[in-house]
Amino acid sequence: MCGIVGFVGNEDCVDMLIDGLSKLEYRGYDSAGIAVMDNKQIEVRKSKGRLADLTAKMEKEGRLKGTCGIGHTRWATHGEPSDINSHPHGNKRISIVHNGIIENYRDLKAFLIDQGYSFVSETDTEVVAKLLDYYYDGNPVDTIAKVIGEIRGSYALGILFRDFPDKIYAIRKDSPLIIGIAKNGNFIASDVPAILKYTKEYYLLEANEIATLTKDSVSVCDIHKNPIEKELNVADWDLDAAEKGGYEHFMLKEINEQPTAIKTTIAPRISEGMPYLEESGMTKEMLKGYNRIYIVACGTAMHAGLIGKYVIEKLAKVEVTVDIASEFRYRNPIITDKDLVILISQSGETADTLAALHLAKENGATTMSVVNVKGSSIARGSDIVVYTHAGPEISVASTKAYAVQLSIMYLLAFELAYAKEAISEEECRRLTKELQEIPDKIQDILVLKERCQFIASRLVNAESLLYIGRGLDYALSMEGSLKLKEISYIHSESYAAGELKHGTISLITEDMPVIAIATQENLFEKTLSNIKEVKSRGAKVTVICREGTKDDKTFANHLVTLPNMDDLMMPMLALVPMQYIAYYTAVLKGCDVDKPRNLAKSVTVE
Ligand code: F6R
């Protein structure tokens, strides 16, 4: 989604804006622009395409200079990617950058046209810029407050007023925005990586708080101008965490960071060999008291929820419903104050997941979020937060965030099962110990990369392929399939292996490779029959299974074997070859692995 950076300080801001925007590239964008206050005039440069296109345009049209400016990367929603639709928008006296969607922009546009305004772009953002101009009375804070009273939707806004050449104004609601406090000046930014090079200290702006930044001060007030004291946060991510560190892509780096990410995430939640989620405020008494558990999330995070469902139901014997967040809110789910709604999100800003959280709260449920980004909207809005400690995930395709989400699902299942006396203390300890062994096991299987690279070379020309599995393997195969299609653009589908012969097997030819995940010992024989069904119909089959699986020379064209663990834990190992296969297929196809087309890292619109 769109990215915002702004700087006001003691030095020229142009390079800082471009550098900050480059750190937000991972969010996804298709155009970029900056506005800089130069000699009390607002100067704008913007361009369709990548940041390199913007800098090339600046070379041509003249480089901007100034110590106060705002910048933006746009992920098109209203209007195609184009120079005109790029941000900043505005006129000679007001310039804005915007992240989010203004839902009532059509009505506002009609109103402004009646007032004599004309529009050059198709964006909802230009409406906000013109509305600011319409209400402008010489006082930026009053003007912003009036505009906020008129607009509906989500927004993070960075605003320059020509009459206040050394100030940046900012406001947000349902779209993230932080204020970075550095030695040489102050920043606004959509996310921490944009400011890490200059500072780790930042304020989190709450909904409809208006911030005024000068080079040496930041003041925040509400829309009635009451001052607000902000608490200073210090990022525990360092700059290296947001750099590639010698890897070709962030995705590869993040796959390799999984052992550390899991270790860091589970360590504080295990006490004396037993799961311990109480540090988050979720006591055993609370945990076992809920009538129903919902897990609500999008994409990869939802897939983590599916594994959670299997594990919780198997161990704790508690029914769990997993919902895609964008469906949950419109299907009138039955939620009561006796239910627990778990929201999973890496970014903590996903619009549909956030809306599901609000719905759960309105209905009185206890809300618990599993979130990676500290202080994000979903974390702040939840009754209980369990932070995953994956560090910044920059690649659009989620890998390490998925691994840590899974580890929290396991801990939750162990704790709940033990609290409900569905498993003994001994069993709980055994499972917890297996989870603690996962980081080392993953470390060992990271060497599978060459095997997976070879398999990728066999898949690279496929037009479409099928993932199959049963039980936990099926849940995991959904994530494998998503990973492959989102970064390699090869169509793939994930299917419950036993369901194939009810229709989908008619697709099988020798041009339809199949990836079968068969790590579940109790289901192996059944999955093996399904593997044989597709292989005998010509499909080239890659099988991901355990070491020592019998018969393993003949049933697969390609085999990836994993160390033996409890069936329940196998997804935590099998995720690695699936990520590698997707990664190397995309690399071999020459795709932009970290920034796949049309995708955004943080999906802050519905
Ligand atoms: C896929 C991917 C997405 C996200 C989804 C939810 O690799 O990253 O499917 O998982 O957009 O995002 P978060 O976890 O930020 O809520």
Side-chain angles (χ1 to χ4, degrees), residues 42-166:
I42 300 173
E43 296 287 343
V44 174
R45 296 285 184 274
K46 48 193 196 171
S47 167
K48 179 183 163 183
R50 296 281 167 187
L51 284 172
D53 299 303
L54 174 65
T55 39
K57 193 161 185 186
M58 276 203 277
E59 305 264 296
K60 219 160 94 199
E61 293 180 359
R63 193 186 149 82
L64 301 182
K65 62 176 175 39
T67 55
C68 177
I70 50 178
H72 190 261
T73 44
R74 172 175 186 255
W75 189 81
T77 56
H78 296 66
E80 59 171 8
S82 68
D83 289 5
I84 293 283
N85 287 334
S86 313
H87 301 206
H89 285 283
N91 55 22
K92 291 207 174 321
R93 64 175 184 166
I94 297 173
S95 187
I96 71 166
V97 287
H98 167 221
N99 180 5
I101 286 191
I102 305 303
E103 287 162 6
N104 58 337
Y105 82 101
R106 279 196 197 83
D107 294 346
L108 293 170
K109 192 168 182 175
F111 166 78
L112 287 163
I113 288 171
D114 280 351
Q115 306 307 310
Y117 282 91
S118 57
F119 288 81
V120 293
S121 79
E122 300 155 83
T123 63
D124 51 343
T125 304
E126 192 183 358
V127 173
V128 181
K130 298 269 153 81
L131 203 59
L132 281 162
D133 190 72
Y134 174 76
Y135 279 121
Y136 183 60
D137 58 2
N139 184 316
V141 173
D142 286 343
T143 306
I144 293 168
K146 280 188 196 133
V147 167
I148 293 316
E150 299 282 326
I151 60 179
R152 251 194 357 258
S154 57
Y155 45 83
L157 293 165
I159 311 168
L160 297 180
F161 290 87
R162 182 189 54 193
D163 299 347
F164 298 85
D166 303 318

Side-chain angles (χ1 to χ4, degrees), residues 553-575:
K553 294 281 182 298
T554 54
F555 63 78
N557 298 87
H558 312 292
L559 201 66
V560 181
T561 54
L562 301 168
N564 280 300
M565 293 196 87
D566 191 295
D567 263 6
L568 276 184
M569 310 309 294
M570 289 307 290
M572 298 247 19
L573 304 183
L575 58 84

Side-chain angles (χ1 to χ4, degrees), residues 298-301 344-348 350 353 396-398 405 479 482-483 486 601 603:
C298 302
T300 292
I344 308 180
S345 175
Q346 188 285 127
S347 63
T350 303
T353 312
V396 165
S398 190
Q405 287 159 357
E479 176 56 10
L482 173 63
K483 216 79 307 167
E486 70 177 319
K601 181 70 181 162
V603 184

Side-chain angles (χ1 to χ4, degrees), residues 292-310:
R292 238 185 321 241
I293 298 181
Y294 289 102
I295 301 181
V296 189
C298 302
T300 292
M302 191 275 293
H303 292 157
L306 288 175
I307 301 270
K309 172 185 165 75
Y310 270 89

